[in-house]
Amino acid sequence: MNRRDFLKFGVGVSVGFVGGRSIASNNSSRLLDTIIAESYAGYSSNTYYSESQNTHIELPSLTEDLSCDVCVVGGGLTGVSTALKLAERGYKVVLLEAQNIAGQASGMNGGQVLTAYECGMEYFEDKFGDKIAKQLWSLSLQAIDIVKSNIKNYNINCSWQSGTGIAAYKKKHFADLQEEYEIMTEKYGYTQVELYDKQQTRTLIGSDKYYGLLYDRFAGHIHPLNYALGLSQICKQKAQMFTNSRVTEIKFKQAGGLHHLTVNGKHQVKAKFVVLACNYQNSLFAPELAYKVVKFDTYVMATESLSPSLAHEILPNRMAIFDTRNVMNYYRLTEQNNLIFGGGDTFGKPDVPQVQKSLYNDLINTFPQLAGVKVKNFWYGADSMTLNLAPNFGRLYNTVYYAQGYSGQGLALSNLAGQIIADAIIGQSEKFDIFAAIKPLEITNIGVVQQAFVKMGSYYFRMKDYIE
Ligand SMILES: Cc1cc2nc3c(=O)[nH]c(=O)nc-3n(C[C@H](O)[C@H](O)[C@H](O)COP(=O)(O)OP(=O)(O)OC[C@H]3O[C@@H](n4cnc5c(N)ncnc54)[C@H](O)[C@@H]3O)c2cc1C
């Protein structure tokens, strides 16, 4: 069963692949508990990135009323990249961020800049046919190109490292990777991937866990906060950006077709266009969006800096990895040899000590040679996912745009979203319309029912990871 197959299971269970995984009982010895407790001793709940950021951005909060062409709500990568692209084309842009720029998912993620989409290309082929699927494929490559060219053109120091890999966690998952490889190379003509068997994989990942690897040399990984802040430094020269400026209300389409936004309950911004870039919080302004995405939390630890020899032993070519399980782990080395190791995703209120144990257990199950390594940072953050795992873009009132539901794969896609929302506002909406045609499976927005669906799916896929 691969991640595509589970789409066929329908709404109720399809969200569960990100459900949390608990510690395998055979590992839950007292010794293990002691190792884990000692490893977390003195850890920081700041993100690794905030403790290693190479730039700081000073921005005011809004203290007056303003008018503009485009008001962007949210200062993550979706918001900043949209604002930048429009401001570069001469639009008067105001960006309003409730807290800090890139203070949420965009500045605390796993750093993996990935090819394609969480739903897999087969989903688009089935829904829209090969022609549109090929366009979506090339747009996903464009997303990575945008990140690379931003780094180059704006001279952003964010430690780009080429190479990502999908590691087969079970023997039969290798067949799925083989199929994926054939689709990518033969159907999409992609020449940047290699398929490695178990033995070859062992030379590229210092773990006995995997049965094969799909390596992608075009994708890569970065320090996401340094990237987002670097991009924001450029953006702030061209757009008006405000932090600690929470949009508390939007009255759409008032006199003259303008949208009226209230900020911090006090000040007004009037705009011809609005871009909602608040991730899972967009529904505050458009309740219908709550039916389209579900919020989930995902967890990350950064280990202490590993010795060069240990770092080389576990990831000799320094690629970023995620595995093929429904409830996966993702990891990569930083420039300073800290291992950023994530996973254990949950819905609803997390049991943090339990997740910490589970994540450390995953770490040493993957790399027994790391048992006892200290955790320097442990943090978690939220992202939005759709039930079909495809991104959700759309338009409201003709002049309000939104992009959300990147389903854990938004580091590259948020940059693409910025580019194509800007194009659409300028009047070139072909690319935006391709995404807007992908309709998410909708569920009730009644919190309690959503949680029940999510929990069912969560348990289902957690069980499948063990049983299959
Ligand atoms: C821990 C973690 C690991 C991840 N790992 C990866 C990975 O390795 N690779 C990958 O591709 N993706 C990853 N993702 C997903 C990726 O980070 C997100 O999909 C992407 O950053 C979403 O960007 P965004 O700008 O849409 O949202 P966000 O970055 O969440 O930004 C939304 C912003 O809107 C602001 N906001 C909300 N409400 C208001 C309001 N009322 N007024 C003003 N501002 C408001 C928020 O404060 C926030 O700053 C991960 C996510 C997390 C949380």
Side-chain angles (χ1 to χ4, degrees):
M1 173 105 174
N2 62 25
R3 269 175 292 158
R4 286 178 191 159
D5 293 331
F6 88 82
L7 293 171
K8 294 169 192 146
F9 274 77
V11 174
V13 292
S14 65
V15 292
F17 84 105
V18 287
R21 190 170 49 249
S22 58
I23 293 174
S25 57
N26 61 354
N27 277 329
S28 56
S29 67
R30 209 172 290 165
L31 177 61
L32 182 63
D33 283 351
T34 309
I35 290 174
I36 293 176
E38 285 174 1
S39 301
Y40 276 99
Y43 82 91
S44 162
S45 57
N46 296 329
T47 70
Y48 168 83
Y49 305 121
S50 64
E51 291 185 356
S52 56
Q53 68 191 80
N54 58 17
T55 182
H56 288 83
I57 188 157
E58 296 293 329
L59 291 169
S61 66
L62 187 73
T63 54
E64 60 181 333
D65 294 346
L66 289 176
S67 293
C68 59
D69 297 319
V70 185
C71 184
V72 176
V73 188
L77 276 170
T78 302
V80 172
S81 45
T82 309
L84 176 58
K85 294 296 163 201
L86 284 165
E88 282 181 335
R89 291 171 194 184
Y91 279 68
K92 187 175 179 202
V93 180
V94 169
L95 181 145
L96 301 164
E97 163 53 46
Q99 296 167 294
N100 302 314
I101 293 295
Q104 302 294 315
S106 296
M108 62 162 72
N109 57 60
Q112 302 203 14
V113 181
L114 297 164
T115 312
Y117 306 86
E118 189 57 31
C119 56
M121 295 312 299
E122 202 183 48
Y123 178 75
F124 297 129
E125 291 163 15
D126 289 349
K127 282 264 170 210
F128 303 106
D130 286 357
K131 189 169 166 225
I132 295 288
K134 283 186 178 162
Q135 284 174 310
L136 284 159
W137 169 263
S138 82
L139 283 164
S140 97
L141 300 184
Q142 199 181 316
I144 299 181
D145 265 335
I146 295 171
V147 175
K148 289 183 180 180
S149 58
N150 283 343
I151 292 171
K152 185 160 171 256
N153 298 341
Y154 302 130
N155 203 15
I156 301 174
N157 177 3
C158 62
S159 315
W160 170 271
Q161 169 70 55
S162 295
T164 63
I166 310 175
Y169 199 82
K170 296 193 173 171
K171 202 169 182 180
K172 63 185 182 169
H173 294 172
F174 185 59
D176 297 333
L177 291 188
Q178 260 173 323
E179 189 196 344
E180 193 89 24
Y181 174 77
E182 278 157 26
I183 292 172
M184 280 180 163
T185 52
E186 288 165 24
K187 190 160 193 171
Y188 292 95
Y190 190 53
T191 54
Q192 305 285 337
V193 275
E194 305 290 343
L195 185 68
Y196 296 117
D197 65 17
K198 185 173 172 62
Q199 229 180 338
Q200 293 164 319
T201 301
R202 187 63 183 80
T203 67
L204 291 165
I205 311 176
S207 170
D208 293 326
K209 278 281 160 201
Y210 303 120
Y211 290 86
L213 180 74
L214 187 61
Y215 174 65
D216 185 336
R217 69 175 79 80
F218 181 66
H221 56 101
I222 54 175
H223 186 302
L225 184 59
N226 284 343
Y227 173 75
L229 292 179
L231 201 63
S232 304
Q233 297 288 11
I234 306 296
C235 187
K236 94 176 202 197
Q237 297 163 22
K238 301 164 199 265
Q240 285 180 281
M241 296 172 73
F242 299 93
T243 48
N244 297 310
S245 300
R246 180 178 294 279
V247 176
T248 44
E249 190 184 13
I250 307 181
K251 287 190 175 140
F252 294 110
K253 284 269 177 187
Q254 300 296 296
L258 293 180
H259 308 292
H260 292 189
L261 297 91
T262 308
V263 181
N264 291 336
K266 288 190 275 214
H267 298 291
Q268 274 223 329
V269 176
K270 291 183 183 169
K272 291 179 206 151
F273 294 90
V274 168
V275 178
L276 298 177
C278 302
N279 200 343
Y280 61 92
Q281 295 176 86
N282 282 333
S283 59
L284 179 66
F285 309 110
E288 62 268 42
L289 299 187
Y291 293 84
K292 298 179 194 297
V293 291
V294 183
K295 175 193 172 209
F296 69 97
D297 288 303
T298 176
Y299 302 82
V300 188
M301 65 164 82
T303 69
E304 62 186 329
S305 185
L306 305 178
S307 68
S309 61
L310 193 50
H312 187 264
E313 187 187 326
I314 62 172
L315 286 169
N317 82 351
R318 306 187 79 85
M319 75 176 103
I321 298 290
F322 67 90
D323 71 55
T324 47
R325 282 170 301 171
N326 298 308
V327 186
M328 68 179 78
N329 286 126
Y330 48 92
Y331 54 87
R332 68 187 190 88
L333 285 168
T334 68
E335 259 184 347
Q336 291 70 34
N337 287 339
N338 312 83
L339 187 68
I340 303 284
F341 191 91
D345 309 0
T346 60
F347 298 88
K349 198 171 181 305
D351 176 349
V352 172
Q354 177 61 24
V355 176
Q356 287 183 331
K357 265 187 175 182
S358 166
L359 198 60
Y360 200 90
N361 192 64
D362 284 352
L363 173 78
I364 58 181
N365 267 334
T366 312
F367 298 114
Q369 60 273 52
L370 296 188
V373 72
K374 293 264 186 250
V375 177
K376 181 180 176 303
N377 306 83
F378 172 88
W379 69 94
Y380 61 99
D383 197 21
S384 54
M385 63 177 287
T386 58
L387 295 189
N388 55 6
L389 303 180
N392 175 222
F393 291 33
R395 239 190 230 101
L396 308 164
Y397 310 101
N398 280 326
T399 48
V400 177
Y401 289 79
Y402 66 86
Q404 58 184 10
Y406 306 123
S407 306
Q409 212 165 309
L411 181 49
L413 289 178
S414 53
N415 290 269
L416 179 71
Q419 172 87 61
I420 67 177
I421 290 173
D423 287 345
I425 287 175
I426 284 161
Q428 296 155 354
S429 64
E430 301 80 11
K431 291 175 182 169
F432 184 88
D433 291 339
I434 291 176
F435 280 101
I438 307 165
K439 299 294 175 210
L441 301 172
E442 296 200 2
I443 52 169
T444 169
N445 69 345
I446 301 167
V448 110
V449 183
Q450 259 195 12
Q451 287 305 317
F453 273 139
V454 159
K455 281 216 169 84
M456 264 167 57
S458 172
Y459 288 129
Y460 174 77
F461 280 100
R462 198 188 312 170
M463 288 300 291
K464 283 189 81 63
D465 278 337
Y466 282 126
I467 296 163
E468 286 196 332

